[in-house]
Amino acid sequence: MPHSENIILHAQGITKTIDTGTHRVEILRGIDLSIPAGQFVAIMGASGSGKSTLLGLIAGLDSPTSGRVMIDGVDITGLNEDKLALLRGCKIGFVFQSYQLIPTLTAEENVLLPHELAGGAVAAGLTRARALLRSVGLEDRLDHYPVQLSGGEQQRVALARAFMGKPPILMADEPTGNLDSVNGAHVLDLLISLNEREGTTLILVTHDRVLTSRADRIVTLSDGKVVSDEMQTTVADAAGGESRV
Amino acid sequence: MNLSWRTASRIAWRETRASTAKFLFVVLAVAAGVGALTGVRGFSQSFRATLTAQSRTIMAADLTARQFLPAAPEQIANLDQLVASGVEHTLIMETVSMGSSAMVPIDSEAATPALMSIKAVDPAQYPYYGTVRLNPPMALKDALENDTVAVASDVLIRLDVKVGDKLHIGRQTMRIAATVVSEPDRMSGTLNVGLRVMMSREAFERTGLMGFGSRGAYRYLFKLAPTAPPVADVRKSIKNALPDSLVADFRESNPIITRGLDRASTFLSMVSLIAMIIGALGVAMAMHAHLQQKMDNIAVIKSLGGTSRDVMGIYTVQTLMLGLLGGVAGVAVGRAIEAIFPILISHYFPMSIQSRWNVDAAAQGIAVGVLTTLLFTLPPLLAIRKVQPALILRRGMPEAKLPWRKRLVETRAALAIAALILAAIGGIASWLAESPRVGGYFVAGLAVSLVLLSLVASFLLQGLKIVLKNFPVRIPVLARQGLANLYRQGNQAQAIMVALGLGVMFTLSVYLVQHSLVAEIVETAPPGMPNVFLIGITPELVEPIQALIANTKGVEGTPEFAPSVAIRITKVNGTPFEQLPTPESGRRFRSGRSVMFADAKPDSIGIVSGAWWKQGETQPVVSVDEEAAQRLRLRTADRIEIEGAGKTVNALVVAIHRVEQMRVGSANEFVFNSAALIGFPATFYGGVRMKSADVGAFERAAYKQFPAVTVINVVEALAILQQVVDQVAVAIRFLSLFAILAGAVILAASVAGTRFRRVREVVILKTLGATRRHAGRIFSVEFLTLGAVSGLLGALLASVFSGLVLNQLLEASYSFDWKVTLLAVALTALLAQASGWLASFRILRQKPMEVLREE
């Protein structure tokens, strides 16, 4: 385990309970998780195990019923929506199962958006946005709107967008879940290679064991609890480790 | 259809149960529309009832018949036959005569007689409507005995007598039992040029005033029992019984009030139609958004083996259910409105509401609710046919472009549906307004506006897209995103723009029309119009009287003087009057008329056709009142020959006019130029507005200086007329305000209805690091642009529409008001902004995960 000063994300005693009115559902029952900078962590678990909820909580997309979340040394538990948004803008990139592109914006504009929201200069942003789109193989799709793109292409735009703000952490929630195996593998390759190039901490939520084969560490959830947390010593891991040195 | 209606209903009900909140919105939209419709209609019916009651009061009867000769015994027998069918009648005789004080020697100066306007009634019957208020307060039948009279306070002042004193009238000496404070039909009577003296018919017989050859009028008042035949039928019967009489019913108690009433009625039905359309717009928006969200469900049902017809059946049942629910709720709302409105306006005037539950109105409301809901849901319902089951597999994919032939068929189908909807709305509108003409105008306005709005909106959005794409400078991301939201695929910007524009058009039209209408109605009895009249002023007295008025306390506004010349019409277009084929009602022109002359057009009349003459016109010309022209079959360019004071003048009819303001005693049926009446002896009528309390002092002063001039105080009588006019104005203003508010609410709701599509976008933006302020700014740009553009389009259309309505339906004038237009644009932008915000600010606070989890 890396030293504590390298911990980029720290979750402590997180619980999440939803009161539906008729009954209470305990989704997470006390999760402790520390992720050092640069690690590729896969969060696994069956459907309903609470993995997506956990991802939402550590990204500040939702607030826990109890427990604390620290991102890069900042305790986000007490922050308001706007402060969380600003924090996400500079610390976290997202890739969702269903792409979540803004339908009114072109591919290029979608990628540029986090940069513009953070108040960055357009010219500099455009160069990077185009470079990112080129690296996901969409240089000829800059002016296309999301509806004009296939699912795989949309997810590649989403990937480019996620890396746009050079976030230290990238969170991906079943990024290949909506894609066929060929497109899924392509997106995963891109995700991992971009991650290596940008030196980002990658947190990947999935139920697909194939995706986790290249992760440094696999955290498995079941019924709202961490049931296993193990480091992988695979070739892929070794390669990932080298690139971070 | 494979599914039975039963199964369809069950599935529809399950779905309704599952998303109560969204359906509540649809039901509320329908309820708001139906509520506005039934409420407005109920209120305007009550209001009309109140007004007609007042019109009856002004006439003191349901109908009157007036003639200048007593009815023959067989004619009276005919009238008596009508009693059996529920038509009562009573006779009023009116004449003018001189009366003097019996308290001073007959040859003393104080005994100078005054011109009296005598009214003989049967106090047991008269008045049928309204009351005669006396001072000291007492019943009319107690005041009017065989030897007593009730007189206007003018008489006491003029003759220097008091209640209890005696007067010489005709052969009789009569005791003054009371003063008349007000009599309901003071403005409807005949021979009103003297001071009011009221007595019983028995007393009148004893005065011997109505002897052979004396000038008098016989006015029969009729009252209809609830069981009586319709007014129009009774009118015919009376006309048959009394062929020489002028019959009028309460609907025309006063031509100006009648016009106000007619316009108010047309306007009120227009407002309820607009309430319906605005409500329907709300329904359409809500149902459209609702079905849009149901596309996934529809695809699922289809992929499970449901046919298009099954699905349409399910959603049609659902629509009907929602329409019915909304209709029922709306009728309850309408009922509440009907009950609350009179309370709200009780400050201005009391109004009794129809207490009984009106089943017809309720059924009508529910029917209209269900029909409009169904009509406006038709396009999305029919679109169900096109939903591919594959939708669930590839959501958010662009629709394949169909070959042009198929597109043409699709377009034709869409047009056919649109035509069907418009025709049905036209039908509903005609039904509600009880006039195919109004319905036609309405639907034509709607159709033209729809087409124009859609075209302009689509043009603008396309233009915006092109401009944004090719803009030389990169627009800041928030503004760009806000603007781009307007033309994005699947956005309803065009639909909302059309709906908003239409809503603005209708609500602003209501405002513009009511504004012009109220201005014209108020103008008919403007607050400053004369309430004291001076009669019999010789030309040389005009200046001294003006001087007296100038020195009198309590005078408001400028006194008016109008000349009156006695003439007789002898020929029309060269044909002697006796040989003219004039209708019965034209006969009264055979006797002498009082006419006036003026060189500049008096403010109180408006030109209907032709043109007023230029200053200094030397040829004899005349402008004729609309009604007189109709009776005499006169048109412009006709010629009339008149005779008076031994002179004959042949005048050219250059204009037909209409009396726009109430004027008492002025002879404005025929207005000649001054050159035409040179050499004719003229007297003048004077009119002055005075504070009620100061009239007595003025009357005394006037009598002292000008004993030959008669002063008539019509303060009370005028107050009644003004009250009616004010009530019409208040009711119109009030209903307009309501329609405008309802419009604003529905428009707000239509913007708010776009909330569902925003949720996801806000969440994505927030995940990418956007603060609430960022998202808020994006929305602001979108809402403000949408509001301003729709406001501008709607306001321009409203100008055209109100111009048409005013000119064509209400026969009133309209002029474009750019200030109102700009205000409308600003207000619509603000409304869109405010309602958009209200609907969205909760979204802004929402945790992103709450939305993402629904994936």
Side-chain angles (χ1 to χ4, degrees):
Chain A
M1 284 286 259
H3 295 295
S4 59
E5 60 262 31
N6 289 336
I7 298 294
I8 189 136
L9 193 142
H10 180 71
Q12 195 184 351
I14 299 181
T15 65
K16 181 71 181 177
T17 309
I18 292 177
D19 196 345
T20 64
T22 50
H23 51 280
R24 284 156 58 86
V25 183
E26 281 187 81
I27 300 174
L28 295 177
R29 307 159 182 253
I31 305 264
D32 296 304
L33 188 65
S34 274
I35 298 173
Q39 196 171 51
F40 174 3
V41 185
I43 299 177
M44 293 249 341
S47 175
S49 59
K51 53 190 191 306
S52 288
T53 304
L54 177 63
L55 187 76
L57 289 175
I58 59 180
L61 294 173
D62 200 355
S63 41
T65 309
S66 66
R68 289 196 317 152
V69 176
M70 311 265 290
I71 294 176
D72 212 2
V74 180
D75 186 351
I76 67 160
T77 356
L79 296 183
N80 71 20
E81 276 297 299
D82 285 346
K83 292 208 171 119
L84 281 173
L86 290 171
L87 184 92
R88 280 193 296 268
C90 57
K91 302 278 184 200
I92 306 171
F94 280 99
V95 180
F96 297 101
Q97 178 173 3
S98 47
Y99 333 133
Q100 307 289 16
L101 297 179
I102 303 260
T104 39
L105 299 180
T106 61
E108 182 184 87
E109 288 166 342
N110 259 295
V111 176
L112 190 61
L113 189 60
H115 177 75
E116 286 183 298
L117 286 174
V122 172
L126 264 184
T127 316
R128 179 167 165 80
R130 285 179 187 155
L132 279 167
L133 281 168
R134 198 176 314 121
S135 57
V136 295
L138 291 175
E139 59 270 36
D140 56 345
R141 293 279 205 268
L142 299 182
D143 287 336
H144 284 58
Y145 285 92
V147 288
Q148 296 166 318
L149 300 171
S150 74
E153 287 171 328
Q154 288 193 48
Q155 193 62 307
R156 283 187 272 154
V157 174
L159 268 184
R161 185 178 68 180
F163 285 99
M164 181 67 200
K166 296 186 178 157
I169 309 171
L170 192 108
M171 299 196 182
D173 186 7
E174 303 277 12
T176 60
N178 279 8
L179 302 172
D180 60 64
S181 57
V182 176
N183 269 308
H186 186 37
V187 162
L188 189 67
D189 284 344
L190 281 170
L191 177 63
I192 290 170
S193 66
L194 274 171
N195 187 50
E196 284 168 359
R197 201 176 80 191
E198 303 277 332
T200 317
T201 308
L202 176 60
I203 303 170
L204 174 76
V205 166
T206 185
H207 65 276
D208 185 352
R209 188 149 285 278
V210 178
L211 294 193
T212 65
S213 60
R214 290 151 86 175
D216 298 330
R217 173 183 173 192
I218 299 176
V219 177
T220 311
L221 295 191
S222 176
D223 203 15
K225 281 182 184 157
V226 176
V227 291
S228 87
D229 184 349
E230 49 198 30
M231 298 299 287
Q232 296 224 114
T233 49
T234 58
V235 183
D237 174 50
E242 272 163 26
S243 74
R244 287 194 301 276
V245 172
Chain B
M1 182 159 149
N2 301 328
L3 288 183
S4 69
W5 283 109
R6 223 182 134 87
T7 317
S9 310
R10 206 167 51 234
I11 297 175
W13 168 245
R14 276 185 212 140
E15 221 198 31
T16 316
R17 197 186 47 193
S19 43
T20 333
K22 282 172 202 164
F23 286 110
L24 200 63
F25 186 72
V26 182
V27 170
L28 283 181
V30 182
V34 171
L37 175 73
T38 51
V40 165
R41 283 178 69 77
F43 172 78
S44 49
Q45 267 158 15
S46 302
F47 173 66
R48 254 185 262 182
T50 307
L51 268 190
T52 43
Q54 296 225 337
S55 315
R56 289 184 174 100
T57 306
I58 288 170
M59 207 176 232
D62 288 308
L63 296 104
T64 65
R66 195 168 66 190
Q67 56 188 35
F68 293 98
L69 288 169
E74 64 271 20
Q75 292 178 330
I76 294 171
N78 285 339
L79 290 184
D80 289 338
Q81 276 184 350
L82 286 174
V83 175
S85 60
V87 183
E88 281 180 67
H89 63 88
T90 180
L91 172 66
I92 294 174
M93 287 187 278
E94 287 161 307
T95 190
V96 281
S97 174
M98 301 308 271
S100 60
S101 167
M103 308 308 288
V104 288
I106 196 103
D107 52 353
S108 74
E109 199 188 326
T112 313
L115 188 68
M116 306 279 183
S117 175
I118 296 163
K119 176 169 178 177
V121 302
D122 175 358
Q125 303 236 47
Y126 168 88
Y128 283 140
Y129 297 96
T131 48
V132 176
R133 283 197 292 132
L134 299 173
N135 187 23
M138 63 172 88
L140 190 62
K141 65 178 191 308
D142 297 332
L144 304 186
E145 290 165 15
N146 285 346
D147 56 350
T148 60
V149 290
V151 300
S153 57
D154 307 342
V155 174
L156 304 188
I157 294 163
R158 176 70 175 74
L159 298 179
D160 193 21
V161 289
K162 54 187 187 301
V163 172
D165 286 354
K166 291 186 172 171
L167 297 178
H168 291 301
I169 296 170
R171 318 191 276 245
Q172 281 290 310
T173 303
M174 312 270 235
R175 186 174 58 81
I176 302 171
T179 54
V180 179
V181 178
S182 72
E183 54 178 291
D185 55 339
R186 175 71 163 125
M187 305 299 263
S188 308
T190 331
L191 304 169
N192 277 330
V193 292
L195 306 173
R196 167 62 79 230
V197 173
M198 206 184 282
M199 61 181 75
S200 69
R201 281 217 309 273
E202 289 73 26
F204 189 59
E205 300 290 336
R206 291 162 68 167
T207 61
L209 285 175
M210 213 59 150
F212 179 77
S214 52
R215 185 160 187 228
Y218 298 80
R219 194 148 58 95
Y220 286 92
L221 304 190
F222 298 89
K223 183 188 181 183
L224 306 190
T227 54
V231 176
D233 296 354
V234 175
R235 197 182 162 128
K236 267 184 215 142
S237 314
I238 295 171
K239 192 70 205 169
N240 287 337
L242 302 170
D244 289 329
S245 67
L246 253 171
V247 182
D249 64 53
F250 64 87
R251 294 169 299 187
E252 47 182 346
S253 54
N254 181 309
I256 291 162
I257 289 196
T258 309
R259 203 139 47 87
L261 262 180
D262 284 350
R263 286 172 171 183
S265 300
T266 312
F267 178 77
L268 293 178
S269 29
M270 197 185 100
V271 170
S272 46
L273 282 181
I274 286 173
M276 177 194 86
I277 287 294
I278 289 172
L281 272 178
V283 175
M285 300 298 301
M287 281 309 281
H288 186 76
H290 163 61
L291 282 177
Q292 207 67 43
Q293 289 180 320
K294 288 291 167 216
M295 287 308 163
D296 284 359
N297 287 16
I298 291 167
V300 171
I301 295 176
K302 281 193 174 179
S303 64
L304 295 177
T307 64
S308 286
R309 292 186 58 169
D310 293 336
V311 181
M312 275 162 67
I314 292 171
Y315 285 96
T316 306
V317 169
Q318 196 176 58
T319 307
L320 287 174
M321 257 163 26
L322 296 175
L324 194 66
L325 258 168
V328 172
V331 167
V333 172
R335 187 69 188 161
I337 290 171
E338 243 179 282
I340 291 166
F341 275 8
I343 300 170
L344 289 181
I345 59 170
S346 61
H347 175 63
Y348 298 97
F349 59 90
M351 209 180 93
S352 58
I353 49 162
Q354 296 164 344
S355 50
R356 70 195 173 84
W357 175 261
N358 195 333
V359 181
D360 288 359
Q364 195 181 37
I366 292 171
V368 168
V370 172
L371 258 174
T372 41
T373 311
L374 196 58
L375 276 176
F376 277 86
T377 325
L378 213 50
L381 272 181
L382 291 173
I384 287 174
R385 288 175 312 162
K386 289 194 289 184
V387 175
Q388 300 290 327
L391 186 76
I392 39 171
L393 301 177
R394 38 179 193 87
R395 203 148 64 116
M397 290 295 281
E399 273 179 40
K401 208 166 187 183
L402 296 166
W404 68 270
R405 244 177 238 209
K406 284 207 170 174
R407 266 186 294 159
L408 192 70
V409 172
E410 293 281 333
T411 318
R412 276 203 347 229
L415 283 178
I417 293 165
L420 176 72
I421 293 176
L422 282 176
I425 290 175
I428 297 175
S430 304
W431 178 36
L432 291 177
E434 288 160 20
S435 154
R437 184 157 163 256
V438 173
Y441 271 102
F442 197 77
V443 116
L446 187 67
V448 170
S449 319
L450 267 176
V451 170
L452 275 178
L453 277 169
S454 310
L455 284 178
V456 175
S458 131
F459 179 76
L460 279 179
L461 292 175
Q462 288 301 319
L464 181 69
K465 192 171 177 176
I466 292 167
V467 166
L468 272 186
K469 264 194 172 170
N470 303 308
F471 208 65
V473 188
R474 193 161 263 274
I475 303 164
V477 60
L478 300 180
R480 194 181 67 231
Q481 176 61 12
L483 292 173
N485 267 350
L486 291 173
Y487 61 74
R488 75 192 240 171
Q489 293 215 349
N491 183 1
Q492 302 167 15
Q494 192 178 340
I496 293 172
M497 218 179 254
V498 171
L500 257 179
L502 212 57
V504 170
M505 173 186 124
F506 279 126
T507 38
L508 188 63
S509 295
V510 170
Y511 172 80
L512 290 173
V513 169
Q514 75 90 16
H515 191 72
S516 300
L517 206 57
V518 166
E520 292 210 3
I521 288 174
V522 168
E523 197 54 34
T524 60
M529 71 183 285
N531 54 6
V532 173
F533 290 90
L534 298 103
I535 293 161
I537 307 169
T538 50
E540 66 276 10
L541 286 183
V542 172
E543 269 182 45
I545 287 179
Q546 273 171 336
L548 170 70
I549 292 171
N551 292 322
T552 302
K553 192 165 90 77
V555 171
E556 296 164 332
T558 333
E560 297 168 9
F561 287 87
S564 166
V565 173
I567 56 112
R568 212 163 62 81
I569 300 168
T570 47
K571 284 179 185 166
V572 173
N573 288 331
T575 313
F577 195 89
E578 291 71 22
Q579 296 167 21
L580 287 177
T582 47
E584 297 283 342
S585 53
R587 282 195 212 163
R588 67 187 162 102
F589 291 93
R590 195 180 299 174
S591 56
R593 309 299 302 166
S594 283
V595 300
M596 68 179 276
F597 56 84
D599 286 320
K601 185 182 80 64
D603 290 339
S604 58
I605 67 174
I607 301 298
V608 178
S609 63
W612 199 260
W613 49 87
K614 290 193 186 71
Q615 204 82 335
E617 173 65 62
T618 50
Q619 293 304 307
V621 286
V622 64
S623 176
V624 183
D625 174 72
E626 199 174 30
E627 197 193 351
Q630 199 188 351
R631 297 235 153 105
L632 291 175
R633 298 182 180 168
L634 278 174
R635 285 194 209 139
T636 51
D638 282 349
R639 288 193 159 268
I640 56 172
E641 193 184 86
I642 57 162
E643 203 179 79
K647 290 182 57 147
T648 301
V649 170
N650 194 312
L652 176 69
V653 178
V654 292
I656 305 293
H657 66 248
R658 174 188 288 165
V659 181
E660 302 274 5
Q661 290 181 359
M662 291 190 224
R663 280 292 180 275
V664 179
S666 54
N668 45 23
E669 254 176 350
F670 296 88
V671 183
F672 290 84
N673 62 333
S674 59
L677 296 180
I678 285 173
F680 284 76
T683 58
F684 285 80
Y685 284 106
V688 60
R689 178 80 181 188
M690 249 182 225
K691 290 205 175 89
S692 172
D694 297 314
V695 176
F698 173 71
E699 281 185 79
R700 271 185 286 273
Y703 171 56
K704 207 165 156 192
Q705 279 187 46
F706 313 103
V709 173
T710 307
V711 181
I712 300 178
N713 173 358
V714 291
V715 173
E716 288 289 336
L718 201 68
I720 295 176
L721 285 189
Q722 238 161 9
Q723 198 186 334
V724 174
V725 166
D726 289 348
Q727 287 178 5
V728 176
V730 166
I732 287 181
R733 282 209 186 99
F734 187 77
L735 279 185
S736 309
L737 186 71
F738 176 75
I740 289 168
L741 280 180
V745 170
I746 301 279
L747 291 186
S750 72
V751 176
T754 64
R755 188 166 62 110
F756 300 112
R757 77 153 169 83
R758 287 171 205 290
V759 177
R760 177 159 311 283
E761 189 181 309
V762 172
V763 165
I764 301 171
L765 285 168
K766 277 168 105 172
T767 333
L768 297 177
T771 59
R772 281 175 284 187
R773 184 185 292 233
H774 284 136
R777 284 204 190 136
I778 292 175
F779 288 172
S780 292
V781 170
E782 186 185 345
F783 294 144
L784 283 174
T785 313
L786 198 62
V789 173
S790 315
L792 183 66
L793 294 178
L796 293 178
L797 282 171
S799 295
V800 178
F801 189 67
S802 5
L804 274 177
V805 167
L806 280 167
N807 287 328
Q808 300 297 315
L809 292 180
L810 300 170
E811 294 175 354
S813 56
Y814 169 73
S815 57
F816 180 74
D817 188 342
W818 61 270
K819 272 190 227 157
V820 172
T821 308
L822 284 184
L823 193 68
V825 173
L827 284 179
T828 317
L830 281 178
L831 176 77
Q833 168 79 332
S835 51
W837 263 102
L838 266 177
S840 307
F841 89 106
R842 218 169 59 88
I843 298 177
L844 292 179
R845 286 212 326 244
Q846 225 166 5
K847 297 260 178 222
M849 209 54 198
E850 292 170 21
V851 178
L852 291 171
R853 192 180 284 124
E854 283 173 16
E855 281 286 295

